[in-house]
Amino acid sequence: MAGSQAGSGAGSGAVEWLLSAAPDPEESGRSWEEDPHGVVLLPAGARWDVLLVPGALGRAALDVLLRCTDRPGPVLAGIGDARLGFFVPPGTSGRWFGEGIRGAGAGTWIAVPHPERLGTGMRWLILPDDEGTLTDPALLELALREAGDLTGT
């Protein structure tokens, strides 16, 4: 599955891209380095929104996405893989409706692990890239529909 993608190594551009969303990128970078879990809170809504999908549905949708595209946007797995977070363009979460799917957009904060560290709780299934690639919402919707058919949700 996609978990192998996490080991492919994010470049410093991915770190800079993530930190560019922070109100104070330097302070957030220091917090990232000092936090023993390597996690920092970053605001959603400016550079990206995050769609939080129940684990089984999210994993199935990610498998579908990986068959459809070489490079979806970043995907986070929450603790215990209970939820997956798909990074999508800003404004997407406010237009998204789906049972069990929550959106994090403007006014919300996301706990984000450092892309160059292996986490013990939250972890990247798909690492951010240096260009800030995000998942296409239309493609994600199709993947979720197909995954729902496969998982019976």
Side-chain angles (χ1 to χ4, degrees):
M1 182 167 133
S4 62
Q5 300 255 341
S8 63
S12 62
V15 172
E16 291 172 12
W17 176 74
L18 287 166
L19 289 175
S20 72
D24 184 344
E26 286 184 31
E27 177 59 32
S28 292
R30 277 192 299 276
S31 294
W32 228 348
E33 295 302 324
E34 293 169 1
D35 184 300
H37 303 288
V39 174
V40 69
L41 288 174
L42 295 176
R47 297 267 186 227
W48 62 78
D49 281 2
V50 179
L51 292 178
L52 302 162
V53 178
L57 178 61
R59 286 187 297 281
L62 181 55
D63 286 342
V64 171
L65 278 175
L66 290 171
R67 287 194 311 264
C68 297
T69 183
D70 290 338
R71 181 72 170 117
V75 179
L76 281 176
I79 296 171
D81 289 355
R83 288 199 166 273
L84 268 58
F86 293 85
F87 281 54
V88 293
T92 300
S93 69
R95 298 186 310 263
W96 199 275
F97 302 98
E99 188 173 330
I101 298 174
R102 293 184 298 162
T108 61
W109 293 74
I110 299 293
V112 179
H114 196 291
E116 295 175 347
R117 292 189 198 165
L118 294 177
T120 56
M122 294 185 63
R123 68 188 193 291
W124 292 104
L125 296 180
I126 303 292
L127 287 162
D129 62 18
D130 293 354
E131 288 129 37
T133 301
L134 298 170
T135 297
D136 179 302
L139 188 57
L140 179 57
E141 181 178 6
L142 292 173
L144 286 166
R145 286 177 192 255
E146 183 174 329
D149 291 343
L150 295 173
T151 62
T153 55

